[in-house]
Amino acid sequence: MSTLLAPASVGPRRGIRSAGNCLALPEARWNSRFLKATRGEAVDRTPIWLMRQAGRYMQHYRGIRAGTSFLDLCKDPARATEVTVFAQEWLGVDAAIIFSDILVVLQALGMPLEFVGGEGPHLPQPIRGPSDVDALRDPLQAAADLDYVYQAIRQTSAALAPDIPLIGFCGAPFTLASYALEGGSSRQFAKTKAFMYREPDAWHRLSARLAATCAHYLNHQVAAGASCLQIFDSWVGNLTRDDFREFVAPHLATLVSHVVDGVPVILFGTNTGHLIDLIRDCGADVVGLDGTVELGDARDLLGTQVAVQGNLDPTLLFAPQDRLAAATRDVLAQNAGRPGHIFNLAHGVLKETDPEQARYLVELVHGG
Ligand code: CP3
């Protein structure tokens, strides 16, 4: 028997404009540029942070990572804090994101997980059939086991400047299910889709269990000091609109609806230009835009009730500074001064990136 959540209907989400009674946030953080933008309030400058802002492109990270495994670094709150805070301060970005990984949730649910040098994640015992879904651990217990993440969040939240919010995160049910079924990264998602189409009941049980685990996990992160949450549905862009509605939206909406009041939720996935209105309707406060849409068009489509985040192509950080500056100004011009824009890349910082270029981008955005 596992602890699941009451389902939510797909539709707009509860407000985030008041702090609710379970949120203890310093005033400077509540009134930060970044959190104001998530709420669609006016800001002095466009806030910016970068997905994967702490990572292998930074020498500081490589130094701390040397001699340990990636997962051991994630499980060491002091060093996870150091990596998170260094990246925020060195880049001068308006928010920090806690250093961790979306896949620690699958490990907590009982699936062995390893990161083999340079090749990305590997889950040697993937889900092969419906009985494997029912053998996963209970969501409440799994979320309680991730205490090392909550410790890292408590330490990081205390170490950051008072006006810098900390973003907590998790993977979305679809993206986590794809790793659980494929056993690692994938291009075609053949096993994921075969399971989804052929075992729809087990697919929905798996997604419901992932949603419940992530809801508890996110709320623990808020209790520890996260003041914004991003849900990564990195690979959901591989689905059609119809499949998104049937196999994904109910679980994503349930997950978002169980996040405590007052904490903005950013929903992000790659190749999702055709899905952004459906993603908004799962209750996003901020829709993360990838490179398959122009920001101006996305804002016209999504309307004024939701903020957006994005969406400079990460490879532009390889370009000469004048080209990078022109592309950055283009993204800002597409927003055309509308409130509720958080600048970011269209996906994470690539490991070949020159950190100075990332820092230059932050200056450009702050300079307007
Ligand atoms: O700075 C940040 O953004 C916070 C840290 C963070 C990591 N992973 C660190 C990491 C975050 C938010 C993630 C999320 C994550 N992890 C996603 C969703 C984001 C996305 O990119 O769409 C996904 C799909 C994963 C799964 C994952 N973890 C993969 C596919 C890989 C291999 C990637 C690679 O480039 O090798 C990881 C490993 C990983 N996660 C690293 C880092 C810094 C590299 C680990 C190392 O030091 O070797």
Side-chain angles (χ1 to χ4, degrees), residues 223-252:
S227 39
C228 177
L229 299 165
Q230 176 152 326
I231 300 176
F232 286 92
D233 213 347
S234 300
W235 314 132
V236 78
N238 288 281
L239 296 184
T240 63
R241 285 174 68 85
D242 276 350
D243 283 351
F244 182 90
R245 283 192 196 94
E246 181 175 351
F247 295 108
V248 171
H251 305 289
L252 206 45

Short mmCIF file of all heavy atoms in Angstrom, two decimals, residues 223-252:
data_model
loop_
_atom_site.label_atom_id
_atom_site.label_comp_id
_atom_site.label_asym_id
_atom_site.label_seq_id
_atom_site.Cartn_x
_atom_site.Cartn_y
_atom_site.Cartn_z
N ALA A 223 10.24 23.68 3.29
CA ALA A 223 10.40 23.77 4.76
C ALA A 223 11.86 24.02 5.13
O ALA A 223 12.16 24.68 6.12
CB ALA A 223 9.89 22.49 5.42
N ALA A 224 12.79 23.52 4.31
CA ALA A 224 14.22 23.69 4.60
C ALA A 224 14.76 25.03 4.13
O ALA A 224 15.87 25.40 4.49
CB ALA A 224 15.01 22.55 3.95
N GLY A 225 14.01 25.76 3.29
CA GLY A 225 14.49 27.09 2.89
C GLY A 225 14.43 27.41 1.41
O GLY A 225 14.86 28.49 1.00
N ALA A 226 13.91 26.52 0.57
CA ALA A 226 13.75 26.85 -0.85
C ALA A 226 12.56 27.81 -0.99
O ALA A 226 11.52 27.60 -0.38
CB ALA A 226 13.50 25.59 -1.67
N SER A 227 12.73 28.89 -1.78
CA SER A 227 11.59 29.83 -1.90
C SER A 227 11.04 29.89 -3.31
O SER A 227 10.18 30.72 -3.62
CB SER A 227 11.97 31.21 -1.38
OG SER A 227 13.26 31.58 -1.73
N CYS A 228 11.47 29.00 -4.18
CA CYS A 228 10.91 28.84 -5.51
C CYS A 228 11.22 27.39 -5.90
O CYS A 228 12.16 26.80 -5.35
CB CYS A 228 11.58 29.80 -6.49
SG CYS A 228 11.01 29.62 -8.21
N LEU A 229 10.42 26.81 -6.78
CA LEU A 229 10.63 25.42 -7.19
C LEU A 229 10.61 25.31 -8.70
O LEU A 229 9.75 25.93 -9.34
CB LEU A 229 9.54 24.53 -6.59
CG LEU A 229 9.49 24.52 -5.06
CD1 LEU A 229 8.17 23.93 -4.57
CD2 LEU A 229 10.68 23.74 -4.47
N GLN A 230 11.55 24.56 -9.26
CA GLN A 230 11.47 24.28 -10.69
C GLN A 230 11.28 22.79 -10.88
O GLN A 230 11.99 21.97 -10.30
CB GLN A 230 12.73 24.74 -11.43
CG GLN A 230 12.70 24.37 -12.90
CD GLN A 230 13.48 25.29 -13.82
OE1 GLN A 230 13.56 26.49 -13.59
NE2 GLN A 230 14.04 24.74 -14.88
N ILE A 231 10.30 22.44 -11.72
CA ILE A 231 10.05 21.04 -12.05
C ILE A 231 10.58 20.82 -13.47
O ILE A 231 10.14 21.48 -14.41
CB ILE A 231 8.55 20.70 -11.94
CG1 ILE A 231 8.07 20.95 -10.51
CG2 ILE A 231 8.30 19.26 -12.36
CD1 ILE A 231 6.56 20.75 -10.30
N PHE A 232 11.58 19.94 -13.59
CA PHE A 232 12.20 19.66 -14.89
C PHE A 232 11.45 18.51 -15.57
O PHE A 232 11.56 17.36 -15.15
CB PHE A 232 13.66 19.23 -14.69
CG PHE A 232 14.60 20.35 -14.33
CD1 PHE A 232 14.87 20.65 -13.00
CD2 PHE A 232 15.23 21.11 -15.31
CE1 PHE A 232 15.76 21.68 -12.66
CE2 PHE A 232 16.12 22.13 -14.98
CZ PHE A 232 16.38 22.42 -13.66
N ASP A 233 10.71 18.84 -16.63
CA ASP A 233 10.16 17.76 -17.47
C ASP A 233 10.96 17.76 -18.77
O ASP A 233 10.43 17.98 -19.85
CB ASP A 233 8.66 17.94 -17.72
CG ASP A 233 7.96 16.59 -17.82
OD1 ASP A 233 8.68 15.57 -17.94
OD2 ASP A 233 6.72 16.54 -17.77
N SER A 234 12.24 17.48 -18.61
CA SER A 234 13.20 17.71 -19.68
C SER A 234 12.82 17.05 -21.00
O SER A 234 13.02 17.62 -22.06
CB SER A 234 14.58 17.20 -19.26
OG SER A 234 14.98 17.90 -18.10
N TRP A 235 12.25 15.86 -20.96
CA TRP A 235 12.06 15.09 -22.20
C TRP A 235 10.60 15.01 -22.64
O TRP A 235 10.28 14.30 -23.59
CB TRP A 235 12.66 13.69 -22.07
CG TRP A 235 14.04 13.71 -21.45
CD1 TRP A 235 14.49 12.92 -20.44
CD2 TRP A 235 15.16 14.56 -21.80
NE1 TRP A 235 15.79 13.24 -20.12
CE2 TRP A 235 16.23 14.24 -20.95
CE3 TRP A 235 15.35 15.57 -22.76
CZ2 TRP A 235 17.47 14.89 -21.01
CZ3 TRP A 235 16.59 16.22 -22.81
CH2 TRP A 235 17.62 15.87 -21.96
N VAL A 236 9.71 15.73 -22.00
CA VAL A 236 8.27 15.61 -22.32
C VAL A 236 7.95 16.15 -23.72
O VAL A 236 6.91 15.81 -24.30
CB VAL A 236 7.42 16.32 -21.24
CG1 VAL A 236 7.42 17.84 -21.41
CG2 VAL A 236 6.01 15.77 -21.20
N GLY A 237 8.87 16.96 -24.26
CA GLY A 237 8.65 17.51 -25.60
C GLY A 237 8.58 16.45 -26.69
O GLY A 237 8.21 16.74 -27.83
N ASN A 238 8.91 15.21 -26.34
CA ASN A 238 8.81 14.12 -27.31
C ASN A 238 7.39 13.61 -27.48
O ASN A 238 7.14 12.73 -28.30
CB ASN A 238 9.70 12.95 -26.87
CG ASN A 238 11.16 13.29 -27.05
OD1 ASN A 238 11.67 13.23 -28.16
ND2 ASN A 238 11.81 13.71 -25.98
N LEU A 239 6.45 14.14 -26.72
CA LEU A 239 5.06 13.68 -26.82
C LEU A 239 4.22 14.64 -27.67
O LEU A 239 4.49 15.83 -27.75
CB LEU A 239 4.43 13.60 -25.43
CG LEU A 239 5.03 12.58 -24.46
CD1 LEU A 239 4.23 12.56 -23.16
CD2 LEU A 239 5.08 11.18 -25.07
N THR A 240 3.17 14.10 -28.26
CA THR A 240 2.18 14.94 -28.95
C THR A 240 1.29 15.61 -27.91
O THR A 240 1.28 15.22 -26.73
CB THR A 240 1.27 14.08 -29.85
OG1 THR A 240 0.54 13.19 -28.98
CG2 THR A 240 2.08 13.29 -30.87
N ARG A 241 0.54 16.58 -28.35
CA ARG A 241 -0.39 17.25 -27.44
C ARG A 241 -1.39 16.25 -26.86
O ARG A 241 -1.70 16.27 -25.66
CB ARG A 241 -1.14 18.39 -28.17
CG ARG A 241 -0.25 19.62 -28.39
CD ARG A 241 -0.96 20.67 -29.24
NE ARG A 241 -2.11 21.29 -28.59
CZ ARG A 241 -2.03 22.34 -27.76
NH1 ARG A 241 -0.86 22.87 -27.45
NH2 ARG A 241 -3.13 22.86 -27.23
N ASP A 242 -1.91 15.36 -27.71
CA ASP A 242 -2.90 14.39 -27.21
C ASP A 242 -2.29 13.48 -26.15
O ASP A 242 -2.91 13.22 -25.11
CB ASP A 242 -3.44 13.53 -28.36
CG ASP A 242 -4.57 14.24 -29.09
OD1 ASP A 242 -5.04 15.28 -28.58
OD2 ASP A 242 -4.97 13.76 -30.16
N ASP A 243 -1.08 12.99 -26.42
CA ASP A 243 -0.45 12.11 -25.43
C ASP A 243 -0.11 12.87 -24.15
O ASP A 243 -0.22 12.32 -23.05
CB ASP A 243 0.81 11.46 -26.02
CG ASP A 243 0.45 10.32 -26.98
OD1 ASP A 243 -0.73 9.94 -27.04
OD2 ASP A 243 1.36 9.82 -27.67
N PHE A 244 0.30 14.13 -24.30
CA PHE A 244 0.56 14.94 -23.11
C PHE A 244 -0.70 15.03 -22.25
O PHE A 244 -0.66 14.83 -21.03
CB PHE A 244 1.05 16.33 -23.50
CG PHE A 244 1.39 17.21 -22.31
CD1 PHE A 244 2.67 17.23 -21.78
CD2 PHE A 244 0.41 18.01 -21.71
CE1 PHE A 244 2.98 18.02 -20.68
CE2 PHE A 244 0.71 18.81 -20.61
CZ PHE A 244 2.00 18.81 -20.09
N ARG A 245 -1.83 15.32 -22.91
CA ARG A 245 -3.09 15.44 -22.14
C ARG A 245 -3.44 14.15 -21.43
O ARG A 245 -3.87 14.16 -20.28
CB ARG A 245 -4.25 15.79 -23.09
CG ARG A 245 -4.28 17.23 -23.53
CD ARG A 245 -5.63 17.51 -24.21
NE ARG A 245 -5.56 18.74 -24.96
CZ ARG A 245 -5.27 18.82 -26.27
NH1 ARG A 245 -5.05 17.72 -26.97
NH2 ARG A 245 -5.21 19.98 -26.86
N GLU A 246 -3.27 13.02 -22.12
CA GLU A 246 -3.72 11.75 -21.54
C GLU A 246 -2.74 11.18 -20.50
O GLU A 246 -3.18 10.70 -19.46
CB GLU A 246 -3.90 10.72 -22.69
CG GLU A 246 -4.38 9.37 -22.17
CD GLU A 246 -4.69 8.39 -23.30
OE1 GLU A 246 -4.70 8.81 -24.49
OE2 GLU A 246 -4.90 7.20 -22.97
N PHE A 247 -1.45 11.23 -20.80
CA PHE A 247 -0.49 10.48 -19.99
C PHE A 247 0.31 11.32 -19.00
O PHE A 247 0.95 10.78 -18.10
CB PHE A 247 0.50 9.73 -20.90
CG PHE A 247 -0.17 8.66 -21.73
CD1 PHE A 247 -0.36 8.83 -23.10
CD2 PHE A 247 -0.62 7.49 -21.14
CE1 PHE A 247 -0.96 7.85 -23.86
CE2 PHE A 247 -1.24 6.50 -21.89
CZ PHE A 247 -1.41 6.68 -23.26
N VAL A 248 0.31 12.64 -19.19
CA VAL A 248 1.19 13.49 -18.39
C VAL A 248 0.45 14.53 -17.56
O VAL A 248 0.67 14.67 -16.35
CB VAL A 248 2.22 14.21 -19.31
CG1 VAL A 248 3.02 15.25 -18.55
CG2 VAL A 248 3.15 13.19 -19.95
N ALA A 249 -0.44 15.28 -18.22
CA ALA A 249 -1.05 16.45 -17.58
C ALA A 249 -1.70 16.13 -16.23
O ALA A 249 -1.51 16.89 -15.27
CB ALA A 249 -2.04 17.11 -18.53
N PRO A 250 -2.47 15.03 -16.11
CA PRO A 250 -3.13 14.81 -14.80
C PRO A 250 -2.12 14.70 -13.66
O PRO A 250 -2.37 15.20 -12.55
CB PRO A 250 -3.87 13.47 -14.99
CG PRO A 250 -4.00 13.29 -16.47
CD PRO A 250 -2.81 13.99 -17.10
N HIS A 251 -0.99 14.07 -13.92
CA HIS A 251 0.00 13.85 -12.85
C HIS A 251 0.79 15.12 -12.54
O HIS A 251 1.08 15.42 -11.38
CB HIS A 251 0.92 12.70 -13.24
CG HIS A 251 0.16 11.46 -13.57
ND1 HIS A 251 -0.49 10.73 -12.60
CD2 HIS A 251 -0.13 10.86 -14.76
CE1 HIS A 251 -1.13 9.71 -13.17
NE2 HIS A 251 -0.92 9.78 -14.48
N LEU A 252 1.10 15.87 -13.59
CA LEU A 252 1.81 17.13 -13.37
C LEU A 252 0.91 18.11 -12.61
O LEU A 252 1.35 18.79 -11.67
CB LEU A 252 2.21 17.70 -14.75
CG LEU A 252 3.41 18.62 -14.86
CD1 LEU A 252 4.61 18.12 -14.08
CD2 LEU A 252 3.77 18.82 -16.34
#
